[in-house]
Amino acid sequence: MQALWMLLASLLFALMGACVKLAVEHGASMAQVVLFRGLPSVVLLLLWARARNLSFRPVAWMPHVWRNLTGVTSMWLGFYAIAHLPLGTATSLNYTAPLFIAGWILATGTTKKDPVCIAAVGFGFLGVLAVLQPSITVDQILPALLGLCAGALAAIAMMQIRTIGKLGEPEWRTVLFFSVIVCLTSLVGIAIEPWGRADWLGWLSLLVIGITGMGGQLALTRAYGLGNALLNAALQYTTIIFASLLGIVFWEESMDRLAIFGVICIVSAGLLSVWRTAQDEA
């Protein structure tokens, strides 16, 4: 079932986010984080593709161009928001992507307008707000706007992934192209800012960022390439649940009643979407 691919992607991205936080806490620079986000995917996928004598020529170039332009820009804007906003606020802004997807689908009529799935997306975002409880001050308006732009661009990138999947493009090639562009942009960042002074735990975190990022991107690409766009949008919110649990385990972060209510909303939204999709496929 394609929903399982999105759940796997959500778990891996939650682990990646935890390692990003850990790496920065232990001396890694943002450019290093971006570099290690893409480098393992480039190396491993190149070796794997060459060993199987697979072609690197895409089915079509332009969907990849738009996917990478929007996806990589979204990643950098999201990192900027995280660097200048409370983590909860930045994350909630980054997770507005599913709302932009639902709005686009409603406006263009590109797929079945299922009010149950659309309601689940909105209900899920309500849960995200309850869990993260964001607040923005006057001096945080610019980072907040950039974080919101990151969510909008991520939505475009996700829809491009779906287009690429419909063209028959294999997941590994889509992830490889994205990772190459990520690495190239990180080199620009390294040229601008000083090289970080990460300790051994920071370097270990950077390595895990690359591995979980690659696995999460592969699972995400497969989910959006073959699954229901609105279902994936709702299930993507489970990243917040996984991240909250990691925060409790590793940073002893507590959850109040409002946050618990948010988790219930998120889970309910995912289950509602799964039920609706199962009804449609029956």
Side-chain angles (χ1 to χ4, degrees):
M1 188 175 180
Q2 299 305 324
L4 295 179
W5 286 109
M6 180 53 73
L7 290 175
L8 176 61
S10 297
L11 174 60
L12 291 174
F13 282 134
L15 290 171
M16 183 188 72
C19 289
V20 167
K21 181 176 181 179
L22 195 61
V24 173
E25 288 178 349
H26 287 265
S29 68
M30 192 58 64
Q32 282 179 298
V33 170
V34 174
L35 175 63
F36 277 82
R37 167 65 179 84
L39 187 59
S41 298
V42 173
V43 174
L44 295 177
L45 288 175
L46 277 176
L47 292 175
W48 178 81
R50 293 306 301 172
R52 292 175 172 266
N53 198 29
L54 299 175
S55 173
F56 294 101
R57 182 181 296 275
V59 176
W61 279 106
M62 286 309 299
H64 284 285
V65 171
W66 285 110
R67 183 266 182 278
N68 290 315
L69 178 63
T70 55
V72 174
T73 303
S74 171
M75 184 186 65
W76 275 98
L77 292 179
F79 283 153
Y80 181 88
I82 289 173
H84 294 85
L85 293 173
L87 181 60
T89 302
T91 305
S92 66
L93 292 173
N94 290 339
Y95 273 81
T96 56
L99 299 182
F100 285 106
I101 292 176
W104 173 259
I105 290 173
L106 279 175
T108 61
T110 54
T111 189
K112 182 180 179 180
K113 296 179 181 179
D114 190 333
V116 176
C117 280
I118 294 173
V121 172
F123 196 50
F125 184 59
L126 175 64
V128 171
L129 293 178
V131 168
L132 301 176
Q133 305 170 42
S135 61
I136 298 175
T137 59
V138 174
D139 61 327
Q140 295 172 335
I141 292 178
L142 178 60
L145 289 175
L146 294 179
L148 189 62
C149 289
L153 290 172
I156 298 174
M158 290 173 187
M159 298 308 293
Q160 288 298 317
I161 289 174
R162 182 168 177 81
T163 299
I164 292 171
K166 288 182 177 179
L167 293 174
E169 192 76 86
E171 291 85 4
W172 70 268
R173 194 183 292 151
T174 302
V175 175
L176 175 61
F177 290 165
F178 174 79
S179 301
V180 168
I181 302 302
V182 167
C183 289
L184 291 177
T185 58
S186 73
L187 296 180
V188 177
I190 291 172
I192 296 174
E193 66 175 337
W195 185 256
R197 297 181 178 273
D199 57 21
W200 69 269
L201 187 55
W203 283 107
L204 178 61
S205 299
L206 289 172
L207 179 61
V208 177
I209 287 171
I211 296 174
T212 54
M214 178 182 66
Q217 199 66 48
L218 286 168
L220 177 73
T221 301
R222 185 168 184 83
Y224 270 96
L226 301 177
N228 180 279
L230 286 176
L231 170 62
N232 289 326
L235 291 179
Q236 191 179 14
Y237 288 122
T238 57
T239 302
I240 304 299
I241 298 177
F242 295 133
S244 298
L245 293 175
L246 290 172
I248 293 172
V249 173
F250 293 104
W251 285 278
E252 298 182 353
E253 298 174 352
S254 59
M255 296 181 65
D256 58 20
R257 292 181 179 179
L258 181 60
I260 294 174
F261 168 75
V263 171
I264 294 174
C265 287
I266 294 168
V267 174
S268 299
L271 293 176
L272 181 62
S273 296
V274 170
W275 172 80
R276 170 56 75 187
T277 302
Q279 292 291 106
D280 292 340
E281 293 177 352

